[in-house]
């Protein structure tokens, strides 16, 4: 099987081309520049053609191939399906904001966290994605849209902190001037609460925006929908976030997927108040996206009523734009449908 140039940073490329191909070191900079423009090896015109051929014998530029995309006009959201070299389908979403384009990146194919409302975890973990596969999602999308990507959210399928080393390398390369040059302030990592991973981020001084997928404000309720609660309970997760806030000076967001009749009660609002008081944590409310099994769409007044309860406690909140629901842009939904169709399923 071929290897992929995007798997290597500029320093590693320097080594490869000077040792393996007897080329001058500056060519690594040329190749690196082309890669971040989304060029294939045959398009790297300023390399000698014999060198290009020799490279192409062993390498391809990127390990992902584009399959298709779906566009939702109402919200200006585009969802992409890519295939990995070993034939796994993964998904990424491009969100168009006034200030630029944000790509929602998948960090794993599948997921082993098993959250009740999330499609990504339904088939378990297939495998971790490599840093090159994560970078390729952004580079391919940027090339197809003809736009620079300004923001990254690690909120596609997978649990980023369950793939720590690869995610760390991805973030460092996304941030590097030799990579995507995206500021750490424009990168958001969302976790279901892998406390050991949050602590490693602190040790490694990876200071991005951190989002904790809270979804329920007590151990009892959270245990019903998020198996991670058994390994790291809500108090430990909140504590780790507070420590991250202290070290990084980055404001923490708590994601709260509103599920009617489950976590929209007055007691829940009060418990959220207890968690947030004396902090600058922000609650990001998400209307649950309906999934094939249990979850149906909330009624129209559900969000409104819960917001009123939060307001009575002066809790800081935002409501996530309802993006891509008509194109199944909630975690794992489109990929699972596409894979089922490919297998002759529904
Ligand atoms: N594993 C990470 C990141 C991926 S999920 C995490 O748990 O944070 C990104 C966000 O989408 C999470 O907050 C997740 O809980 C939410 N999400 C998943 N399925 C959803 C659904 N059906 N409706 C609304 N939000 C959902």
């Amino acid at each position: 099987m071929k290897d992929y140039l995007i798997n290597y940073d500029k320093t590693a490329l320097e080594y490869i081309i000077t040792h393996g191909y007897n080329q001058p070191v500056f060519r690594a900079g040329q190749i690196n520049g082309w890669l971040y423009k989304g060029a294939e090896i045959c398009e790297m015109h300023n390399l000698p053609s014999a060198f290009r051929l020799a490279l192409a014998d062993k390498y391809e530029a990127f390990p992902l191939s584009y399959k298709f995309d779906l566009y939702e006009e109402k919200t200006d959201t585009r969802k992409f399906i890519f295939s990995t070299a070993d034939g796994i389908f993964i998904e990424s979403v491009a969100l168009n904001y006034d200030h630029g384009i944000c790509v929602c990146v998948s960090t794993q194919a599948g997921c082993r966290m098993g959250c009740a409302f999330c499609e990504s975890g339904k088939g378990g973990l297939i495998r971790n994605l490599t840093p090159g596969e994560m970078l390729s999602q952004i580079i391919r999308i940027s090339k197809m849209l003809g736009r620079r990507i300004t923001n990254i959210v690690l909120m596609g399928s997978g649990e980023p902190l369950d793939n720590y080393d690869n995610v760390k390398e991805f973030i460092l390369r996304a941030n590097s001037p030799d990579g995507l040059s995206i500021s750490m302030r424009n990168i958001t990592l969302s976790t279901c609460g892998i406390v050991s991973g949050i602590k490693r981020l602190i040790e490694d001084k990876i200071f991005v925006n951190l989002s904790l997928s809270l979804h329920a404000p007590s151990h009892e309720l959270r245990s019903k929908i998020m198996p991670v609660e058994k390994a790291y309970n809500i108090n430990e997760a909140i504590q780790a976030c507070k420590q991250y806030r202290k070290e990084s000076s980055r404001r923490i967001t708590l994601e709260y997927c509103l599920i009617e009749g489950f976590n929209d009660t007055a007691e829940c609002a009060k418990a959220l108040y207890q968690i947030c008081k004396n902090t600058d944590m922000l609650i990001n409310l998400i209307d649950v996206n309906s999934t094939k099994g249990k979850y149906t769409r909330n009624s129209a007044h559900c969000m409104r009523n819960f917001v009123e309860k939060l307001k009575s406690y002066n809790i800081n909140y935002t409501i996530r734009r309802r993006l891509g629901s008509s194109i199944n842009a909630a975690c794992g939904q489109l990929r699972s449908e596409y894979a089922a169709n490919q297998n002759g399923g529904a």
Side-chain angles (χ1 to χ4, degrees):
M1 201 155 91
K2 286 205 173 166
D3 196 358
Y4 301 92
L5 292 174
I6 193 66
N7 291 344
Y8 301 97
D9 67 8
K10 193 170 155 222
T11 313
L13 287 174
E14 283 171 1
Y15 184 88
I16 290 172
I17 65 153
T18 51
H19 286 69
Y21 296 88
N22 212 11
Q23 289 288 322
V25 73
F26 73 88
R27 298 235 179 267
Q30 293 178 321
I31 295 172
N32 194 61
W34 281 116
L35 286 174
Y36 287 94
K37 289 197 183 88
E40 304 299 334
I41 293 174
C42 62
E43 296 170 324
M44 300 181 180
H45 297 305
N46 54 1
L47 303 181
S49 57
F51 174 42
R52 258 188 280 155
L53 281 177
L55 263 185
D57 215 31
K58 184 155 174 215
Y59 297 96
E60 282 176 35
F62 305 103
L64 292 187
S65 51
Y66 163 83
K67 287 288 160 190
F68 75 94
D69 65 88
L70 286 178
Y71 180 60
E72 187 184 69
E73 196 173 355
K74 192 172 58 172
T75 54
D76 210 356
T77 304
R78 195 178 287 274
K79 179 141 191 168
F80 295 85
I81 296 284
F82 297 105
S83 170
T84 62
D86 51 342
I88 301 167
F89 300 124
I90 60 165
E91 60 193 41
S92 325
V93 184
L95 313 161
N96 205 351
Y97 290 98
D98 292 342
H99 57 270
I101 300 217
C102 174
V103 173
C104 176
V105 171
S106 287
T107 55
Q108 297 179 313
C111 181
R112 61 190 182 116
M113 296 299 126
C115 300
F117 46 84
C118 179
E119 284 289 315
S120 309
K122 292 279 143 58
L125 177 67
I126 304 170
R127 70 166 171 81
N128 284 331
L129 298 183
T130 63
E133 286 169 331
M134 292 179 233
L135 286 166
S136 299
Q137 295 172 49
I138 297 177
I139 295 170
R140 287 257 190 253
I141 289 175
S142 176
K143 173 115 188 265
M144 279 186 273
L145 299 181
R147 304 268 305 272
R148 200 181 106 76
I149 305 305
T150 51
N151 298 66
I152 298 173
V153 293
L154 299 172
M155 291 191 186
S157 68
E159 167 49 49
L161 297 182
D162 189 39
N163 182 15
Y164 186 88
D165 292 328
N166 287 345
V167 164
K168 176 183 162 186
E169 187 181 330
F170 163 71
I171 291 173
L172 292 175
R173 291 183 63 195
N175 177 240
S176 162
D178 285 330
L180 292 166
S181 262
I182 297 179
S183 151
M184 289 288 193
R185 291 187 176 279
N186 291 340
I187 301 176
T188 300
L189 186 149
S190 177
T191 177
C192 64
I194 309 281
V195 170
S196 56
I198 299 175
K199 291 192 168 153
R200 287 182 76 186
L201 289 173
I202 297 171
E203 272 162 35
D204 292 341
K205 297 195 171 10
I206 308 282
F207 294 144
V208 291
N209 302 306
L210 186 65
S211 268
L212 173 68
S213 287
L214 191 70
H215 303 322
S218 68
H219 174 68
E220 196 207 341
L221 269 192
R222 204 166 183 256
S223 303
K224 292 189 176 157
I225 51 171
M226 298 179 72
V228 68
E229 185 70 23
K230 278 193 217 81
Y232 302 105
N233 72 43
I234 185 169
N235 295 330
E236 291 175 88
I238 295 284
Q239 222 32 57
C241 286
K242 285 184 175 167
Q243 200 188 338
Y244 190 85
R245 164 74 178 87
K246 199 165 140 220
E247 304 285 335
S248 67
S249 307
R250 297 284 152 83
R251 190 175 188 184
I252 304 290
T253 300
L254 302 178
E255 284 157 87
Y256 198 87
C257 178
L258 201 62
I259 304 168
E260 194 159 16
F262 174 72
N263 62 4
D264 62 342
T265 60
E267 296 80 71
C268 287
K270 187 169 179 198
L272 280 177
Y273 166 72
Q274 295 296 346
I275 291 170
C276 294
K277 72 174 181 201
N278 304 325
T279 74
D280 61 355
M281 286 179 175
L282 181 74
I283 306 279
N284 188 213
L285 295 170
I286 315 161
D287 236 332
V288 70
N289 261 306
S290 51
T291 59
K292 269 183 230 111
K294 297 188 193 141
Y295 296 93
T296 48
R297 214 178 150 159
N298 294 335
S299 63
H301 58 260
C302 175
M303 179 66 78
R304 227 179 311 127
N305 291 348
F306 195 64
V307 160
E308 287 310 315
K309 294 183 183 110
L310 294 186
K311 276 187 184 160
S312 70
Y313 285 106
N314 272 331
I315 298 174
N316 290 314
Y317 72 91
T318 54
I319 298 174
R320 190 184 294 177
R321 231 165 93 190
R322 206 185 159 79
L323 289 172
S325 52
S326 75
I327 54 171
N328 276 341
C331 292
Q333 291 183 340
L334 187 62
R335 188 194 66 84
S336 61
E337 220 157 79
Y338 182 64
N341 285 335
Q342 293 293 302
N343 296 330

